[in-house]
Amino acid sequence: MAEKTLKERIIDTALRLFEQYGYHGVTVDRIVTESNASKGGFYHNFKSKDELLYHIHDVFITYVLNKAQDAYKNYHTPTERLCAIIQSFVKVFHLYKPHITVFYQESTYLKPEYSQKINEKRDEFKQVIFQVIREGIIAGEFRPELSVEITGMSIIGMVNWTYKWYKPDGPMTIEQIAAHFIDFILHSILTEEAKQKAENSLFFLETQTNVI
Amino acid sequence: MAEKTLKERIIDTALRLFEQYGYHGVTVDRIVTESNASKGGFYHNFKSKDELLYHIHDVFITYVLNKAQDAYKNYHTPTERLCAIIQSFVKVFHLYKPHITVFYQESTYLKPEYSQKINEKRDEFKQVIFQVIREGIIAGEFRPELSVEITGMSIIGMVNWTYKWYKPDGPMTIEQIAAHFIDFILHSILTEEAKQKAENSLFFLETQTNVI
DNA sequence: ATGTTAAGACCGACTAGTTGGTTTGTTTTA
DNA sequence: TAAAACAAACCAACTAGTCGGTCTTAACAT
């Protein structure tokens, strides 16, 4: 049961190599060699090198989207929802760093058929965040003068960029980083009124690290 | 004088193609064809395809670094300096969008000799931002509980991500986007005291669009 | 139990096409 | 006229993908 299938070995190896050298910096031959597989084994499991790239993209975006949707369902005010989404989003970087690196570096090279599927899920994810911000403004928790799109993209950008500098064994835990982001974002978007309330109720950020 | 040199034509064409198809999605032959040049002309101007990639990287990072250093010199309080740096940084996206896209998508593929040079300037740029934040905290303008590094990377990430969604002919001007970012960031990092002061003095953000 | 057969998993030498870079020759400029 | 700038045919290396074949497993008949 500890035995990994050939397919899993190939994916793990490919992730490691793609993260370091980029999709085009790694040949199928090298993936095959380093995963103790063979050309035949590779093409038995994947239609093409492109399909492997797609698979990596899909695993990641599917996971993130599900987490965001779960967070939306499990909480019931915009502020809590936003915090939960960000927290789960940031935490993904711990488990899926190679996936994410590949996702943001190599998506240019997805074949149209594949990139369309990926983009649909990616847009869905964006919409969840936009929706929460929109609802937060309507509910009076978030500042009304905010632009939903730019605010959303600011948050997404801030968090996504983490993949460029986060080191899993660095000085800060992923939870600490998430807490910083949330602090940063809440200071920006909450109304003065909501900030007062939040000071009393958002202690859950400190204690509840397992949001999902 | 309106005549472009062959070298310029090659760079322009390469930028356009790299932005759309990625470095590995574009062959030297295609660059040569679409810029009305020839293989000979290309290799007369560039040692290799890699050197062209390096050149594109260098033009961008050098420009951004200079702008940041200018902004630092021309202003004298941390808050003003930070605003000026962000404003000039964001504006770069208007002129240099293809450079930036290439910069962040393809830097993996720079040969070690080249990537070292680029990284030096990139680090220098980061240090300017970190320095301003550090000084802002010491001066009492920025909240003392902020982590310099995470705050810095949050800002850099938020701004950099713009290259993924900014459309030069979209509904928002680059100045509006810059103003949003500055608003977002100042709300996060200023102390309550500094916010009071800022409300009176930071009107310069609205009027003074040519910071540099 | 034992032999038979079928199917899926896997192997690795080979190929056809592509691509960065070179070489050789020509034009333009100073 | 010499040197710089450019053109075009050419080449060597590399790489994604193929294809005939082997090994393992399991169902099934005897």
Side-chain angles (χ1 to χ4, degrees):
Chain A
M1 106 181 196
E3 288 287 305
K4 279 195 179 174
T5 67
L6 182 66
K7 187 167 183 175
E8 285 168 339
R9 263 168 31 228
I10 290 173
I11 293 170
D12 288 351
T13 307
L15 272 170
R16 182 172 52 79
L17 293 174
F18 287 167
E19 184 183 14
Q20 186 168 5
Y21 304 105
Y23 180 70
H24 285 94
V26 179
T27 65
V28 175
D29 276 319
R30 184 163 181 195
I31 296 170
V32 159
T33 305
E34 297 204 16
S35 58
N36 279 106
S38 65
K39 266 299 180 62
F42 182 95
Y43 283 97
H44 179 73
N45 285 285
F46 300 98
K47 259 172 58 189
S48 62
K49 195 186 175 191
D50 298 278
E51 201 201 54
L52 169 60
L53 184 62
Y54 166 70
H55 185 268
I56 291 171
H57 275 70
D58 191 55
V59 166
F60 164 68
I61 193 68
T62 302
Y63 182 89
V64 166
L65 176 59
N66 285 339
K67 286 288 180 189
Q69 286 169 336
D70 286 352
Y72 189 93
K73 278 178 206 135
N74 295 139
Y75 290 86
H76 305 285
T77 72
T79 304
E80 282 175 0
R81 279 175 170 163
L82 187 64
C83 291
I85 290 173
I86 292 168
Q87 200 159 78
S88 74
F89 190 15
V90 174
K91 278 192 187 170
V92 175
F93 285 72
H94 191 67
L95 274 172
Y96 283 76
K97 199 187 170 222
H99 291 77
I100 294 168
T101 305
V102 173
F103 191 90
Y104 289 122
Q105 295 281 359
E106 315 291 348
S107 61
T108 324
Y109 298 113
L110 281 175
K111 291 273 156 64
E113 30 176 330
Y114 293 133
S115 69
Q116 200 201 333
K117 288 186 185 178
I118 297 296
N119 280 334
E120 280 168 17
K121 291 193 179 176
R122 190 203 282 240
D123 286 344
E124 231 179 302
F125 175 74
K126 268 192 226 164
Q127 286 310 322
V128 175
I129 291 189
F130 288 177
Q131 181 63 22
V132 171
I133 295 174
R134 218 174 280 123
E135 290 170 355
I137 291 173
I138 292 169
E141 294 181 18
F142 302 165
R143 292 193 290 131
E145 65 268 31
L146 292 175
S147 150
V148 172
E149 282 76 17
I150 296 198
T151 305
M153 292 315 293
S154 298
I155 293 171
I156 291 173
M158 186 188 311
V159 176
N160 274 336
W161 205 254
T162 312
Y163 91 84
K164 293 265 189 188
W165 54 271
Y166 173 62
K167 299 270 178 289
D169 48 358
M172 304 208 90
T173 67
I174 200 71
E175 282 83 9
Q176 287 175 303
I177 293 172
H180 261 93
F181 282 150
I182 288 172
D183 173 82
F184 195 96
I185 291 164
L186 291 187
H187 268 88
S188 284
I189 66 175
L190 291 185
T191 60
E192 291 306 315
E193 197 190 338
K195 271 184 204 166
Q196 301 301 324
K197 283 189 200 156
E199 270 181 30
N200 304 317
S201 62
L202 279 177
F203 63 92
F204 84 95
L205 284 177
E206 313 301 331
T207 54
Q208 182 176 354
T209 49
N210 294 314
V211 172
I212 304 301
Chain B
M1 105 182 196
E3 287 287 305
K4 280 195 179 176
T5 66
L6 182 65
K7 186 166 183 176
E8 285 168 339
R9 274 184 2 245
I10 290 173
I11 293 172
D12 289 351
T13 306
L15 272 169
R16 180 172 53 78
L17 293 174
F18 286 167
E19 182 182 14
Q20 186 168 7
Y21 304 105
Y23 179 70
H24 290 279
V26 179
T27 65
V28 174
D29 277 322
R30 184 162 181 197
I31 296 170
V32 159
T33 305
E34 297 205 15
S35 59
N36 280 104
S38 65
K39 271 292 185 69
F42 182 95
Y43 283 97
H44 178 73
N45 285 286
F46 299 98
K47 259 171 58 187
S48 63
K49 194 185 177 192
D50 297 278
E51 201 201 54
L52 168 60
L53 184 63
Y54 166 70
H55 185 268
I56 291 171
H57 275 69
D58 191 56
V59 166
F60 164 69
I61 194 67
T62 301
Y63 182 89
V64 167
L65 176 59
N66 285 338
K67 286 289 181 191
Q69 286 169 336
D70 286 352
Y72 189 91
K73 278 178 207 136
N74 295 138
Y75 291 85
H76 304 284
T77 73
T79 304
E80 281 175 0
R81 278 174 170 163
L82 187 64
C83 291
I85 290 172
I86 293 167
Q87 201 159 78
S88 74
F89 190 14
V90 174
K91 278 191 186 170
V92 175
F93 285 72
H94 191 67
L95 274 172
Y96 283 77
K97 197 183 172 228
H99 290 76
I100 294 168
T101 305
V102 173
F103 190 89
Y104 289 122
Q105 294 283 357
E106 314 293 348
S107 61
T108 323
Y109 298 114
L110 280 175
K111 291 273 157 64
E113 30 178 326
Y114 294 134
S115 70
Q116 199 201 333
K117 288 186 185 180
I118 296 298
N119 279 334
E120 280 167 18
K121 291 192 180 177
R122 191 203 281 241
D123 286 343
E124 231 179 304
F125 175 74
K126 267 192 226 164
Q127 286 311 322
V128 174
I129 291 188
F130 289 176
Q131 181 62 21
V132 170
I133 296 174
R134 218 174 280 122
E135 290 172 355
I137 292 174
I138 291 170
E141 294 182 17
F142 302 165
R143 293 193 289 131
E145 65 268 32
L146 292 176
S147 152
V148 171
E149 282 76 18
I150 297 196
T151 305
M153 292 316 293
S154 298
I155 293 171
I156 291 173
M158 185 189 310
V159 176
N160 274 337
W161 204 254
T162 312
Y163 90 86
K164 293 265 189 189
W165 55 271
Y166 173 62
K167 299 270 179 289
D169 47 358
M172 304 209 90
T173 67
I174 199 71
E175 282 83 10
Q176 287 175 302
I177 294 172
H180 260 94
F181 281 150
I182 288 172
D183 173 83
F184 194 96
I185 291 164
L186 291 186
H187 268 87
S188 284
I189 66 176
L190 291 185
T191 59
E192 290 307 315
E193 197 191 337
K195 270 185 205 165
Q196 300 302 323
K197 284 190 199 156
E199 270 182 30
N200 305 315
S201 61
L202 280 176
F203 64 92
F204 85 96
L205 284 176
E206 314 299 331
T207 54
Q208 183 177 354
T209 49
N210 293 313
V211 171
I212 304 301

